[in-house]
Amino acid sequence: MITIDPEDRLICLRAREVSADHHGAALPPISQASLHRKQSMAELLQGLSREHAAFVYARGTNPTVKVLEDTLAKLERAEACKCFASGMGAVSAVLFGLLKAGDHVLFINDIYGPTLELAARLEEFGVTWSRAFAQDIESIGAEIRNETRLIYMESPGSTLFRLLPIKKVCALARLRGVLTIIDNTVATPLLQKPLQLGADLSIHSCSKYIGGHSDVVGGAVMGPAALVEEIFYKGYMLLGAAMAPFDAWLLLRGLMTLPDRLSRHHEDALAVATFLKAHPKVRKIYHPAFCEEDAALFEKQMLGHSGLFSFALDAAGFAETLAVADRLRLFGKAVSWGGAESLVMTGHKADPGADKNLRVPGTLLRLSIGLEGADNLIGDLEQALS
Ligand SMILES: *Cc1c(COP(=O)(O)O)cnc(C)c1O
């Protein structure tokens, strides 16, 4: 069973209470205005001097988006939150906002592909980066350079879902004067609270579980007010990835059922993974509950699992892996994850060949377990694997 913090359940349901009175409306109104008029020029100029905290222009702050921001900040136990048009909007604003030429970024664990593509793009502006997969703190410490400005991590990591000792990494980084950022998308603010473990910033793609219905793209950054404000002016306002008010409204709606959806995803993914583990055509399961080395970390820093995991087939290769995925009827063949419909995706966009040393095996399939029920999904996998 999954234990959601009772306080979080109420925060998810009562987003309206963080906003001003909207005549008892069950959800805040969608404030579809690009600009806000002021009573005087003095008030307008005052607003312009602090756009992160005043409603002036919708590329800055919007009343509906602000209700979502305040709600997400509460859930993550953060002082402040800024929302973005997408998860990558959030990642871009953080990296562009905090880095300058000469800085180095250390990425730890398996990182979402486009985030690394962005890092490669930043090389052209004089930023360097490197990757580490270690879990032990000595090896991670050895990867920190004099010019390291940020440590950027994912735990659970993308695709293979390995965990990191978040508290230890953050303590080490603090000693070395390095900021820590964690992409907390897989865990959601309900299953893991990285800021309480010492991280400086937490990033989410809201397009996944927070939205939960495959109908909205969004992102968020949570952390101390001063740091979020710095990102607001140096990243968010200039790159312009502003969240639409309607999208904020959809995300507030998604949040209401997040605790219960997560419980279902957690249970059913465990059931499906248990079935696959016993299947003769499956070589390995990539799920934190099936990884002995990560069991102690899970107990320390997470309240439950998501519905996302991968497995590697004992298949001959990539073509057979695609054929198994093609035979699935209940799993949509699609990117992204976190919605009501189960999805399947390969670990590679093209045949990686027969190289046995690949970190992500060529025969890996990632499943996002939706809400169809474990029995239905197991039946589908059984026929696809037979
Ligand atoms: C999807 C995802 C992102 C990017 O989010 P978008 O909303 O698609 O831009 C970032 N990090 C992780 C771990 C993701 O899964």
Side-chain angles (χ1 to χ4, degrees):
M1 267 301 288
I2 196 168
T3 346
I4 303 283
D5 185 328
E7 187 186 341
D8 285 352
R9 276 192 171 274
L10 296 184
I11 298 171
C12 284
L13 279 172
R14 293 186 179 165
R16 61 186 182 276
E17 290 174 13
V18 305
S19 62
D21 180 27
H22 296 297
H23 311 288
L27 273 176
I30 300 167
S31 178
Q32 189 63 38
S34 66
L35 57 87
H36 295 257
R37 281 181 287 141
K38 302 298 172 191
Q39 296 298 324
S40 66
M41 289 312 289
E43 196 192 329
L44 174 58
L45 298 182
Q46 214 238 343
L48 265 180
S49 71
R50 48 194 294 281
E51 277 195 83
H52 67 285
F55 300 125
V56 176
Y57 187 50
R59 179 160 48 78
T61 311
N62 167 275
T64 314
V65 177
K66 179 145 194 319
V67 177
L68 176 65
E69 289 166 349
D70 291 349
T71 305
L72 290 176
K74 274 189 169 185
L75 282 178
E76 194 91 10
R77 311 290 188 265
E79 222 171 70
C81 167
K82 185 63 214 154
C83 281
F84 296 80
S86 67
M88 279 312 294
V91 174
S92 304
V94 167
L95 296 186
F96 275 104
L98 298 181
L99 292 169
K100 59 180 185 338
D103 286 343
H104 168 258
V105 189
L106 175 59
F107 290 96
I108 317 181
N109 211 357
D110 298 284
I111 302 290
Y112 181 67
T115 300
L116 294 177
E117 285 172 39
L118 176 62
R121 178 83 189 105
L122 285 173
E123 272 176 42
E124 311 205 18
F125 297 88
V127 171
T128 58
W129 59 287
S130 58
R131 300 181 70 182
F133 294 101
Q135 279 185 324
D136 72 286
I137 222 64
E138 288 74 27
S139 311
I140 292 172
E143 300 290 330
I144 299 177
R145 306 175 186 173
N146 288 335
E147 60 276 19
T148 305
R149 162 91 170 123
L150 304 177
I151 288 181
Y152 188 110
M153 27 181 177
E154 285 187 27
S155 179
S158 281
T159 312
L160 302 182
F161 309 107
R162 290 300 307 270
L163 305 185
L164 286 174
I166 299 172
K167 201 169 180 173
K168 283 189 187 164
V169 175
C170 294
L172 171 75
R174 193 145 297 198
L175 272 178
R176 304 278 297 264
V178 176
L179 283 176
T180 44
I181 300 170
I182 179 162
D183 181 329
N184 200 29
T185 302
V186 173
T188 80
L190 297 190
L191 301 183
Q192 179 167 272
K193 304 213 188 289
L195 301 180
Q196 292 186 330
L197 299 169
D200 290 301
L201 289 169
S202 178
I203 296 183
H204 287 270
S205 164
C206 303
S207 325
K208 315 293 168 49
Y209 288 124
I210 293 176
H213 295 76
S214 311
D215 54 8
V216 59
V217 170
V221 174
M222 289 90 134
L227 207 46
V228 174
E229 192 178 320
E230 188 178 349
I231 292 161
F232 181 95
Y233 289 108
K234 292 185 182 169
Y236 166 78
M237 281 290 273
L238 302 179
L239 290 170
M243 176 179 277
F246 180 59
D247 291 349
W249 187 89
L250 281 174
L251 291 166
L252 285 164
R253 194 174 193 268
L255 273 180
M256 290 188 192
T257 54
L258 180 61
D260 295 298
R261 283 187 284 113
L262 280 177
S263 293
R264 190 83 259 150
H265 292 309
H266 163 101
E267 295 282 334
D268 289 0
L270 282 173
V272 173
T274 303
F275 160 78
L276 287 171
K277 176 142 179 67
H279 199 285
K281 290 201 180 155
V282 173
R283 177 145 44 91
K284 188 167 174 185
I285 305 290
Y286 299 87
H287 183 304
F290 292 73
C291 178
E292 265 173 44
E293 300 103 297
D294 288 353
L297 280 177
F298 175 80
E299 288 301 323
K300 264 190 222 153
Q301 59 196 36
M302 296 186 76
L303 288 176
H305 295 291
S306 73
L308 199 61
F309 73 94
S310 300
F311 67 102
L313 288 163
D314 247 339
F318 198 60
E320 173 59 11
T321 307
L322 299 186
V324 168
D326 275 336
R327 284 198 291 273
L328 288 166
R329 296 175 193 138
L330 290 179
F331 289 79
K333 297 161 198 50
V335 296
S336 193
W337 45 270
E341 183 199 17
S342 292
L343 300 175
V344 60
M345 180 59 195
T346 49
H348 294 269
K349 288 185 196 162
D351 190 346
D355 184 351
K356 290 263 182 282
N357 296 318
L358 287 175
R359 188 169 166 82
V360 174
T363 63
L364 179 137
L365 289 174
R366 187 193 68 190
L367 299 181
S368 172
I369 299 301
L371 303 175
E372 297 90 343
D375 289 348
N376 286 328
L377 297 173
I378 288 171
D380 192 26
L381 282 157
E382 202 157 25
Q383 65 78 22
L385 285 166
S386 64

